[in-house]
Amino acid sequence: MYRWLLVCVFAVLLAACGNKGALYLPDDTTQVQQTSSL
């Protein structure tokens, strides 16, 4: 039982690695990029 708890905690910590920085929601407004063809 203790071993499974340790494995689960380790898996959660390992899954959290690399997730750094502030969390943000993307803007709902979409911006249209205009490209000029010359």
Side-chain angles (χ1 to χ4, degrees):
M1 177 68 181
Y2 181 73
R3 180 179 288 173
W4 283 110
L5 180 64
L6 185 62
V7 168
C8 290
V9 168
F10 183 71
V12 168
L13 290 176
L14 187 63
C17 288
N19 295 336
K20 297 179 182 178
L23 298 177
Y24 66 93
L25 295 174
D27 293 333
D28 288 339
T29 60
T30 57
Q31 297 178 354
V32 178
Q33 291 181 342
Q34 295 179 353
T35 57
S36 61
S37 58
L38 296 175

